[in-house]
Amino acid sequence: AQSVTQLGSHVSVSEGALVLLRCNYSSSVPPYLFWYVQYPNQGLQLLLKYTSAATLVKGINGFEAEFKKSETSFHLTKPSAHMSDAAEYFCAVNLGGGNTPLVFGKGTRLSVIA
Amino acid sequence: DAGVTQSPTHLIKTRGQQVTLRCSPKSGHDTVSWYQQALGQGPQFIFQYYEEEERQRGNFPDRFSGHQFPNYSSELNVNALLLGDSALYLCASSFRDPNDEQFFGPGTRLTVL
C-alpha cells in the first residue's frame, strides 16, 4: 500500500522568500510522485511529476522537487515566493501514470505575506 | 481543447436523495477516475472507468456507482445520500499509459442537508 505524509497543514512565507513544502511517501515499489496545486474553488493542476527519470524535477511557475529515495521524500521548493503562489498544495503517489489511482496527502495551505 | 469539464458546478440535496454528477474527459482520453475531496482533506479515489467498465475501486460503499459511455464521458451516482457525502467531487481523465498524468476537472460541490 502507498501513503503520503505532508508535514505542516499551513505554511506562511514572506513574498520573495524561499518556499519549502514537505512530502514523505511510503511505497512498496518504485513510486511515481506528483505535486498538484489547488486554487480556491478550482480543481487540481499538476505542478510537476517524478517518473523514475531525473531525481530533480522542474515544474511550472518556478517550482521544483527532488526525489530522495534514502529519505523517502519529495519536497517542493521555489526560490522566491509570489503572492499568486498562495494556494493549497497536494503531494500524491501512484504506481504509474494514467491508469492507477492517485493517493494524496492531506495538503498544505501556503500563505504569502506582502 | 476544453480540458476536463464537470456538471453541475454546485448541487444541494437532502439526506436520502440520489444524485448524478457528470464528467466529460479531455479530448482523446479514454480513462476516467472519480475522487471525493472532503473539506480540509486530500482527494480520495472512488473508482475508475475504462472501456465502459469499472476497473478499480477505492474504499467506498456500493451507494457510489458509476457509468462510462461510448464517448468516454462518465457519470457518478450516489444513492441514499448522507450528510458525510458533502464534498467536492473531482473527475480526472487520462490515457492508460504508465507515463501519462491525470488531468482534473474543476469539480462539483455537493452539499447534503
Side-chain angles (χ1 to χ4, degrees), chain A residues 32 38 46 97-100 102, chain B residues 35 37 56 94 97-98 100 102:
Chain A
Y32 285 48
Q38 185 176 37
L46 182 69
N99 58 354
T100 62
L102 287 161
Chain B
Y35 293 81
Q37 185 180 13
Q56 299 183 72
S94 57
D97 179 337
D100 193 31
Q102 297 180 33

Side-chain angles (χ1 to χ4, degrees), chain A residues 32 34 36 38 41-46 49 51 88 90 94 96-107, chain B residues 31 33 35 37 40-43 45 48 56 88 90 94-102 104-107 109:
Chain A
Y32 285 48
F34 306 81
Y36 284 87
Q38 185 176 37
N41 300 314
Q42 294 188 26
L44 302 174
Q45 180 184 10
L46 182 69
K49 61 181 179 181
T51 58
E88 189 86 20
F90 292 96
N94 74 2
N99 58 354
T100 62
L102 287 161
V103 176
F104 287 87
K106 292 187 175 182
Chain B
T31 301
S33 302
Y35 293 81
Q37 185 180 13
Q41 300 294 318
F45 175 71
Q48 182 183 85
Q56 299 183 72
L88 180 67
L90 296 164
S94 57
F95 296 110
R96 284 185 74 78
D97 179 337
N99 293 312
D100 193 31
E101 65 186 77
Q102 297 180 33
F104 283 81
R109 173 73 64 186

Side-chain angles (χ1 to χ4, degrees), chain A residues 6-39:
Chain A
Q6 292 185 241
L7 297 176
S9 59
H10 183 209
V11 171
S12 184
V13 301
S14 298
E15 192 173 20
L18 172 71
V19 175
L20 171 61
L21 305 183
R22 300 178 185 274
C23 172
N24 288 90
Y25 71 91
S26 173
S27 178
S28 57
V29 298
Y32 285 48
L33 293 159
F34 306 81
W35 275 99
Y36 284 87
V37 61
Q38 185 176 37
Y39 297 100

Side-chain angles (χ1 to χ4, degrees), chain B residues 27-57:
Chain B
S27 179
H29 283 179
D30 55 9
T31 301
V32 173
S33 302
W34 286 92
Y35 293 81
Q36 180 196 65
Q37 185 180 13
L39 196 62
Q41 300 294 318
Q44 283 195 300
F45 175 71
I46 303 174
F47 44 54
Q48 182 183 85
Y49 277 83
Y50 172 68
E51 290 186 337
E52 302 180 46
E53 290 191 14
E54 182 182 298
R55 298 293 177 170
Q56 299 183 72
R57 189 178 184 93

Side-chain angles (χ1 to χ4, degrees), chain B residues 4 24 31-32 34 38 40-41 44 47 51 59 65 69-71 73 76 79 81 91 93-94 97 99 101 103:
Chain B
V4 180
S24 291
T31 301
V32 173
W34 286 92
Q41 300 294 318
Q44 283 195 300
F47 44 54
E51 290 186 337
N59 188 26
S65 64
F69 299 94
N71 66 352
S73 67
L76 163 65
N79 294 322
L81 284 167
C91 169
S93 74
S94 57
D97 179 337
N99 293 312
E101 65 186 77
F103 289 80

Side-chain angles (χ1 to χ4, degrees), chain A residues 101-112:
Chain A
L102 287 161
V103 176
F104 287 87
K106 292 187 175 182
T108 297
R109 182 163 61 90
L110 176 66
S111 297
V112 182

